[in-house]
Amino acid sequence: MDHQPANFLLPSDPRTFGFFVDGKVVEAGSRPYFERQSPGHGVAVTRIPKCTKDDLDLAVAAARRAFEDGRWSRIPSVERASVLLRAAQIIRRRAEEIALWETLENGKPISQARAEVDGCAGIFEYAAGAARALHGDAFNNLGDRLFGLVTREPIGVVSLITPWNFPFLILCERVPFILAAGCTIVAKPSEVTSATTLILAEVLAEAGLPAGCYNVVTGSGSTIGQAMTEHMDIDMLSFTGSTSVGRRCVQAATGNFKKLGLELGGKNPQIVFADADLEDAADGVAFGIGFNTGQCCVSGSRLIVERSVARAFEEMVAAKFAKVKVGDPLDPATQVGAITTAAQNDTIMTYIEKGKAEGARLVCGGDQLDFGRGHYIAPTLFGDVTGDMAIARDEIFGPVLSIMPFDTVEEAIAIANDTVYGLAASVWSKNIDKALTVTRRVRAGRFWVNTTLAGGPELPLGGFKQSGWGREAGIYGVEEYTQIKSVHIELGKREPWVS
Ligand code: NAD
C-alpha cells in the first residue's frame, strides 16, 4: 500500500469525539473535554469528553440490561463468533485510520501502529474460534446413580480499564475474549489515548454487536476509573496499568467482591550467555527496549550478561542503538517515536539522572533529543549497574537499559528473580540445558528463548508476583471471563432421608 508523506497526515483541527452508551454515540454537550496534543508534534489532535459518574451508571445499566436479557450472553456461540469475524474484517478495512489515531495520540511509529492494528484483527479471528471451543466437562465416574456436569457461564458485566502505551492492542487483547465468553463491557481508556477505544465501538456496532454490549465512558482515572473499581453492579474488572493503581483496584473491589484481572508493571530480565548468537542477541536486546520507546510492560529493561562477554556485548548493543532511527512517528522509516506524555518524559529523564548520580556508567544515550517539537529521548545504556540502584529496581517505562554481569547460571537466575515483578523474561543461549533451566527457574508469566516480544493470541499473557493476577488471551483468556457451575444429576430415585 502507498502511504502519504508524514506531515500530510496531521489534522488541521482536532477531532471531537463523543462517548458511547447503549449502542449510541453520546455527544459531550456541556461536559468539559481533554484536549490531546500529538506527543510527536505538539499539535492538538483529539478532544475527548470528561464523563461523569452518572454517565458511568448509565453505561453500567445498559451493559447489565444487555447481559441479563440474553441478547448476547445466551445466543449460540456461532452467532457470537460471526460478529467477531465481521469485526476483524472491519478493523482491516479501517486499519489505516485506526493506526493513524494510535500514532497521533500515543506517539508510536506509524509502521508499528499498522502492524499492531493488523494483529488486532487476527486476535478477533482467534477469539471467534475460541468462543466456539469454550466448553465444560462431564463426570461419568460418580456411580450408576449420579451424573456430574461442569458448565461455564459468562461472568456478567465486565469493566475494562486500559493504559496509554498500546491503546488499541491492549483493548483487543481483552474485548474479543470477553465478548467470546458472552459478557458485556464498559470500557474506560486512558484519558490521553481514548480515540481508538471509541472507534472500536463503531466497528463493533457495524459488525452487528447488539446495543449495550460494548460501552465506552471516557474520563480520568481518579473519577471514572475509581468509580468503576468501586461500582456495585460490575461483576469483574480487567485492569491494565501500573502496579500502584492495581493495588488501589484491589482495595476498591472489596465492596461487591468483584473478580479482578490485573495486568501490571514489569522489570523484565534479558539473560545473555556467552554461548548465544551474540549478534542476534544484541539486535533482540536493542529491539526489546527500543520497541514502543521502552514504554512497554514487557520491555527487557535489565540486561544480565555473562561476564566473559559483557564488555563486548555492551559495545554491540551500543552500536545497534546508534543505528536505530528515532524521529517523527508519522515517518514510515521511524523505529523509535515520541515519549507519550510530558510527565513520562520527565520521569525517564529523572531516572537517567538518578542512574548517573548512583554511580552507573553511561555507555550511550541519556539525552533529550531536540526535533523542534514533541518529546524524544535517545536509547540509553548504563553499565556497571548494581541490584540496589533505582535504575535496576524500578519500572522506568522508557528506552533505558541497565547492564548487570554474572558468572554462573545460579547467579543469573538470582539476579533475574531479584525484583518484585514477574511479568516477562528472555534468555539467549545455544545451550538447551542452560536455556531451559533458566526458563523453569525464573519467575515470570511470559518467557522468550532466543527471541523477545514475539507473540500471538494463542499464548496467554499475565504476570507472576506483583505483575498481576489472571491471564489474558489464549483459551485461558476466554475462561477468565467465565465462572464455573457444578451440576449434580440424580438418575432414578434418591435414597429417602426419612423412611
Ligand atoms: P496507570 O496505572 O497510571 O493508568 C492505567 C489506567 O488506570 C488509565 O486508564 C488510568 O486512567 C486508570 N486509573 C488511574 N488511576 C486510577 C484509579 N485510582 N482507579 C482506577 N483507574 C485508575 O498506568 P499508565 O501510566 O497508563 O500505563 C503504564 C503502566 O501500565 C506501566 O506500569 C505498565 O507496566 C503497565 N502496563 C501493563 C501491561 C500488562 O499487560 N501487564 C500492559 C501495558 C501497561
Side-chain angles (χ1 to χ4, degrees):
M1 191 194 298
D2 281 328
H3 298 300
Q4 293 167 319
N7 278 334
F8 189 75
L9 297 168
L10 274 176
S12 46
D13 291 308
R15 174 173 165 187
T16 301
F17 282 84
F19 58 107
F20 195 81
V21 175
D22 210 7
K24 292 182 218 60
V25 176
V26 184
E27 301 302 339
S30 59
R31 295 168 191 81
Y33 288 97
F34 297 103
E35 187 171 89
R36 177 67 178 148
Q37 298 208 332
S38 163
H41 314 92
V43 171
V45 288
T46 52
R47 300 175 78 217
I48 304 290
K50 291 185 184 175
C51 292
T52 64
K53 287 185 188 175
D54 290 342
D55 297 327
L56 174 64
D57 285 342
L58 286 176
V60 174
R64 173 61 58 195
R65 274 194 307 279
F67 180 73
E68 299 297 344
D69 71 13
R71 70 186 82 165
W72 183 252
S73 55
R74 295 203 297 272
I75 62 173
S77 64
V78 61
E79 291 175 28
R80 287 206 282 269
S82 66
V83 170
L84 297 176
L85 289 172
R86 277 198 296 277
Q89 285 171 356
I90 299 164
I91 289 171
R92 288 217 168 85
R93 194 188 76 219
R94 295 183 64 174
E96 195 55 26
E97 174 200 353
I98 297 171
L100 179 58
W101 287 117
E102 203 71 346
T103 287
L104 291 177
E105 285 199 330
N106 170 277
K108 66 178 66 206
I110 187 76
S111 52
Q112 180 192 321
R114 286 174 179 140
E116 284 174 20
V117 174
D118 187 55
C120 290
I123 301 174
F124 269 80
E125 285 160 350
Y126 173 83
R132 300 187 69 180
L134 190 66
H135 63 277
D137 216 340
F139 284 79
N140 199 28
N141 57 352
L142 306 176
D144 265 353
R145 305 249 315 260
L146 198 61
F147 184 52
L149 294 178
V150 177
T151 61
R152 286 193 176 272
E153 299 184 358
I155 200 157
V157 174
V158 176
S159 62
L160 196 52
I161 299 180
T162 52
W164 44 255
N165 58 340
F166 293 95
F168 197 64
L169 180 62
I170 286 176
L171 185 73
C172 293
E173 283 172 345
R174 287 139 185 76
V175 166
F177 296 94
I178 300 171
L179 292 176
C183 299
T184 59
I185 299 173
V186 182
K188 188 207 91 67
S190 164
E191 44 276 53
V192 296
T193 53
S194 298
T196 53
T197 303
L198 290 160
I199 290 174
L200 186 64
E202 299 168 9
V203 168
L204 291 170
E206 187 186 337
L209 184 72
C213 295
Y214 176 79
N215 307 274
V216 184
V217 182
T218 49
S220 71
S222 53
T223 48
I224 301 301
Q226 185 72 26
M228 270 182 158
T229 60
E230 292 168 359
H231 207 286
M232 297 299 281
D233 203 26
I234 289 173
D235 300 301
M236 178 169 174
L237 164 66
S238 168
F239 172 83
T240 306
S242 58
T243 294
S244 58
V245 177
R247 189 167 284 115
R248 298 175 74 149
C249 293
V250 174
Q251 287 154 358
T254 55
N256 68 339
F257 291 101
K258 59 176 65 63
K259 183 177 173 183
L260 290 176
L262 300 173
E263 299 285 329
L264 308 175
K267 187 73 182 173
N268 311 293
Q270 295 253 11
I271 302 171
V272 178
F273 285 94
D275 61 19
D277 176 337
L278 292 180
E279 178 58 31
D280 188 26
D283 191 74
V285 163
F287 171 62
I289 190 69
F291 179 70
N292 215 48
T293 35
Q295 300 172 122
C296 186
C297 54
V298 288
S299 290
S301 53
R302 288 186 299 146
L303 177 53
I304 302 169
V305 192
E306 193 159 353
R307 197 178 304 276
S308 59
V309 296
R311 271 300 171 117
F313 192 71
E314 179 184 297
E315 283 167 21
M316 292 169 81
V317 174
K320 296 277 175 195
F321 277 4
K323 286 195 197 158
V324 168
K325 189 167 177 344
V326 185
D328 186 338
L330 288 172
D331 181 343
T334 292
Q335 292 170 288
V336 173
I339 304 299
T340 302
T341 66
Q344 185 58 25
N345 184 81
D346 292 349
T347 301
I348 299 167
M349 291 309 294
T350 303
Y351 271 110
I352 291 173
E353 291 312 315
K354 242 186 222 175
K356 292 185 206 163
E358 287 184 331
R361 177 173 46 85
L362 183 65
V363 179
C364 65
D367 313 310
Q368 189 84 67
L369 299 176
D370 184 5
F371 296 131
R373 56 186 185 170
H375 15 83
Y376 298 85
I377 295 177
T380 299
L381 184 57
F382 277 108
D384 299 338
V385 176
T386 53
D388 55 343
M389 293 181 185
I391 56 171
R393 305 206 75 75
D394 299 351
E395 182 187 46
I396 300 174
F397 225 54
V400 182
L401 182 59
S402 299
I403 306 183
M404 290 177 275
F406 70 86
D407 290 303
T408 64
V409 174
E410 285 303 318
E411 195 186 353
I413 292 168
I415 297 172
N417 281 332
D418 182 21
T419 170
V420 296
Y421 298 110
L423 194 58
S426 298
V427 58
W428 302 82
S429 170
K430 288 296 176 197
N431 179 318
I432 193 165
D433 299 347
K434 279 187 204 165
L436 289 184
T437 299
V438 167
T439 303
R440 294 172 72 182
R441 297 266 308 280
V442 172
R443 301 195 60 213
R446 219 166 158 194
F447 229 97
W448 289 286
V449 179
N450 292 324
T451 187
T452 195
L453 307 188
E458 292 82 358
L459 297 187
L461 328 165
F464 284 26
K465 302 192 312 191
Q466 293 185 31
S467 291
W469 289 346
R471 293 293 178 269
E472 307 285 353
I475 198 74
Y476 310 87
V478 188
E479 290 175 356
E480 196 75 25
Y481 295 100
T482 63
Q483 52 193 342
I484 281 174
K485 182 178 278 176
S486 307
V487 184
H488 309 249
I489 304 164
E490 177 78 28
L491 304 175
K493 196 166 156 53
R494 287 177 59 249
E495 279 293 328
W497 186 51
V498 179
S499 52

